[in-house]
Amino acid sequence: MSKVLILSGAGISAESGISTFRDSNGLWEKHRIEDVCTAGCLDTNGEATKAFYDARRADIEEKLPNYAHKVIVKLKQKYPNEISVLTQNVDDLFEKAGIKENEIVHLHGFLRELRCRECEEVFNIGYKKQDECFNAQCPECGGELRPNIVFFGEAAPKYQILTQELNNCELIVIIGTSGNVLDVTYFAQLTSVSILNNLEPSEAIDDKYFTKVYYEKATQAIDVIAEDIEEFLITL
Ligand code: NAD
């Protein structure tokens, strides 16, 4: 648990060339969310769902972290106990910027992983297609595999970590999220200091509850945000 919580969303990866959801009329890479990432779609639309995540996995292989990812990773390395890094993103750009597996929480899952639908074991397959791995079945129990992604309407077990972090932190920094999935306005009200960075206002966020608001690209705002964080840490 840390005093500073940095919570990011799809917007932080936009400048690395990974599309966000809401900026494309609620579609994700031209797919309707209910077709490929809603609870039940593995049973009703299994092949298309698998193909969608295979494509997303292949898509991130060549993508590179941007300046905002890099600054956050440096800050985390400088203040390992004071800062927690949580993301809604399923890409691996923080990892490519050098963050270690135990230094970040992917609240909505991780594209490079598959999970067994029977025994829940998780396997890192890198950028491969799902069916090219393990003869398309769980190497532990033979069960059916699925992308280790939290679909809309499914439980998100790592929200427990988010709740604990929110109970403890005093500064929350929100970067690149529309607030449609997580109620970041509420989170700002739980903490004494709060910072918001998005490209533009979102109807799902009431920015008057934030101490500081930066409507600009994350790569432009991140240096000032890093200064804000370091100034805050000095006061502790
Ligand atoms: P969202 O698409 O709903 O909202 C994106 C937000 O980022 C917007 O508020 C926009 O103003 C802001 N933004 C866009 N470009 C920006 C930039 N350069 N700098 C700063 N802000 C910028 O994203 P969300 O709230 O994260 O919700 C989408 C859900 O979709 C998440 O749960 C996530 O798991 C998933 N998703 C993930 C990825 C990824 O892993 N990169 C990509 C698309 C969707």
Side-chain angles (χ1 to χ4, degrees):
M1 282 336 95
S2 308
K3 293 294 176 201
V4 178
L5 168 56
I6 303 177
L7 175 63
S8 58
I12 197 168
S13 296
E15 291 173 78
S16 294
I18 301 180
S19 322
T20 65
F21 262 166
R22 317 283 157 187
D23 303 338
S24 27
N25 297 323
L27 300 181
W28 192 2
E29 294 291 345
K30 304 190 179 68
H31 286 74
R32 292 191 323 152
I33 288 162
E34 41 288 19
D35 291 341
V36 290
C37 46
T38 299
C41 65
L42 282 168
D43 297 315
T44 56
N45 202 20
E47 287 308 311
T49 303
K50 248 192 293 185
F52 176 75
Y53 287 101
D54 283 347
R56 301 285 67 72
R57 213 175 288 119
D59 184 50
I60 63 166
E61 182 166 11
E62 303 300 325
K63 297 290 190 273
L64 296 173
N66 63 49
Y67 184 61
H69 296 104
K70 291 177 189 169
V71 170
I72 290 171
V73 173
K74 265 198 192 151
L75 272 176
K76 172 68 183 165
Q77 287 165 350
K78 189 168 172 188
Y79 304 101
N81 300 321
E82 291 80 6
I83 296 178
S84 291
V85 180
L86 274 58
T87 186
Q88 298 172 81
N89 291 349
V90 294
D91 66 51
D92 60 354
L93 295 183
F94 279 112
E95 283 78 3
K96 283 181 177 166
I99 209 161
K100 296 196 192 81
E101 201 181 320
N102 63 355
E103 292 175 329
I104 183 164
V105 177
H106 286 273
L107 294 167
H108 295 158
F110 195 45
L111 272 174
R112 291 194 328 213
E113 292 174 345
L114 299 180
R115 187 173 84 240
C116 176
R117 293 184 78 181
E118 310 295 326
C119 72
E120 299 285 314
E121 196 70 36
V122 171
F123 307 94
N124 192 322
I125 61 160
Y127 305 102
K128 294 198 204 89
K129 289 188 173 157
Q130 173 170 335
D131 284 350
E132 285 171 2
C133 305
F134 317 117
N135 293 320
Q137 47 176 240
C138 174
E140 296 291 327
C141 75
E144 193 187 334
L145 293 165
R146 58 164 287 173
N148 190 23
I149 301 287
V150 177
F151 294 163
F152 287 99
E154 290 184 335
K158 292 198 172 157
Y159 281 3
Q160 275 184 12
I161 301 174
L162 173 63
T163 305
Q164 288 164 354
E165 294 286 356
L166 284 168
N167 284 337
N168 252 280
C169 83
E170 291 176 21
L171 164 62
I172 187 164
V173 180
I174 305 289
I175 304 179
T177 179
S178 62
N180 280 290
V181 179
L182 289 177
D183 186 358
V184 298
T185 305
Y186 174 59
F187 299 168
Q189 292 170 73
L190 295 175
T191 50
S192 24
V193 188
S194 51
I195 296 173
L196 173 68
N197 166 223
N198 268 330
L199 212 47
E200 60 207 355
S202 161
E203 36 183 62
I205 299 177
D206 190 343
D207 61 15
K208 73 169 180 292
Y209 289 100
F210 285 81
T211 317
K212 288 190 175 181
V213 177
Y214 302 107
Y215 287 129
E216 57 187 321
K217 289 181 177 175
T219 53
Q220 286 165 356
I222 198 66
D223 279 332
V224 179
I225 292 174
E227 278 172 30
D228 291 339
I229 292 173
E230 293 209 270
E231 274 171 26
F232 173 82
L233 286 172
I234 290 167
T235 66
L236 289 181

